[in-house]
Amino acid sequence: EIVLTQSPGTLSMSPGERVTLSCRASQSVDRNYFAWLQQKPGQAPRLLIYGISSRATGTPDRFSGSGSGTDFTLTISRLEPEDFAVYYCLQYGHSPRTFGQGTTVEIK
Amino acid sequence: QVQLLESGPGLVRPSETLSLTCSLSGGSMSPYKWTWLRQPPGKGLEWIGYSYSSGDTNYNPSLWSRVTISVDTSKNQFSLTLTSVTTADTAVYYCAREWSSFDHWGLGTLVTVSS
């Protein structure tokens, strides 16, 4: 099983700031099958990024994904009020599909 | 557009069987992977498994002995059965479509295991 480790656990940020979230995999992720989800309280997760760097339908272009192999990054270029949420990385190239433990982006 | 909606009992007794259904509207069942995931209160996400409309399945090894996922294409539905539940199975259960990752999700349904 691929273990995904996200850092940091919590980020305290202000609107307008640039945010970088990291995710490291315990082994290389096949076929670039790596994604990021956003979850707000009381809501289902929402797909933001798939295939490492492709934006899902409706994802604003302030969100960008990068990385390869075992190290991946989600960047929010300029935080908007609606971006305060929990972000999960996941890999879907291997079974079982696995998730990181989440990074909370909170208002400073 | 594609919409998914979970349904089923919100309370299950320990040692009994949890059964949920996910209804699909606005799309077809082929060629996607129809997936169940869960999230214990205040915790992270866990992948349970998926089924194709053909019936081919893939389950999380941590649950495989207790899980069945099946698809009914005539009703545009797929189902989750989890046997011998314990309090550790208390969670919000989500159905989702896997294509380019998990690109469509249901709203989720809370299932509590308690006597």
Side-chain angles (χ1 to χ4, degrees):
Chain A
E1 163 172 329
I2 295 180
V3 176
L4 299 178
T5 303
Q6 292 186 241
S7 59
T10 302
L11 275 170
S12 297
M13 309 294 294
S14 299
E17 290 191 291
R18 181 183 180 89
V19 177
T20 300
L21 287 65
S22 296
C23 183
R24 175 164 288 179
S26 59
Q27 62 190 80
S28 186
V29 175
D30 272 358
R31 295 172 289 168
N32 295 339
Y33 282 8
F34 184 88
W36 292 93
L37 305 173
Q38 178 193 65
Q39 187 175 33
K40 297 180 180 179
Q43 296 185 15
R46 166 197 169 199
L47 180 65
L48 286 178
I49 301 285
Y50 66 95
I52 298 179
S53 59
S54 297
R55 290 186 199 90
T57 302
T59 300
D61 60 8
R62 62 181 180 273
F63 290 90
S64 62
S66 63
S68 65
T70 60
D71 289 289
F72 303 92
T73 299
L74 175 69
T75 301
I76 310 173
S77 61
R78 188 177 172 83
L79 267 176
E80 296 289 339
E82 61 267 29
D83 300 337
F84 292 94
V86 179
Y87 293 85
Y88 293 97
C89 60
L90 75 124
Q91 65 79 23
Y92 53 104
H94 301 253
S95 286
R97 290 19 179 166
T98 51
F99 297 83
Q101 78 279 19
T103 292
T104 300
V105 178
E106 64 178 24
I107 300 175
K108 188 174 184 179
Chain B
Q1 73 278 20
V2 172
Q3 291 188 316
L4 298 167
L5 185 63
E6 303 89 349
S7 59
L11 179 66
V12 182
R13 307 296 182 194
S15 80
E16 295 188 346
T17 297
L18 180 160
S19 296
L20 296 174
T21 297
C22 184
S23 299
L24 165 68
S25 59
S28 63
M29 300 212 80
S30 180
Y32 306 101
K33 302 179 181 79
W34 298 101
T35 300
W36 287 95
L37 308 100
R38 66 182 184 179
Q39 185 172 37
K43 297 189 178 180
L45 294 158
E46 180 181 31
W47 177 79
I48 298 172
Y50 66 70
S51 177
Y52 286 98
S53 56
S54 64
D56 289 341
T57 56
N58 187 6
Y59 301 138
N60 192 321
S62 68
L63 297 168
W64 73 268
S65 64
R66 299 193 292 131
V67 172
T68 302
I69 297 174
S70 59
V71 173
D72 186 338
T73 56
S74 68
K75 295 181 179 179
N76 260 18
Q77 292 179 335
F78 61 106
S79 299
L80 168 69
T81 301
L82 183 66
T83 62
S84 304
V85 298
T86 70
T87 55
D89 295 310
T90 293
V92 175
Y93 285 76
Y94 294 103
C95 61
R97 187 183 85 170
E98 182 181 331
W99 180 243
S100 49
S101 188
F102 303 114
D103 57 359
H104 291 279
W105 294 69
L107 297 176
T109 186
L110 174 63
V111 178
T112 302
V113 179
S114 175
S115 55

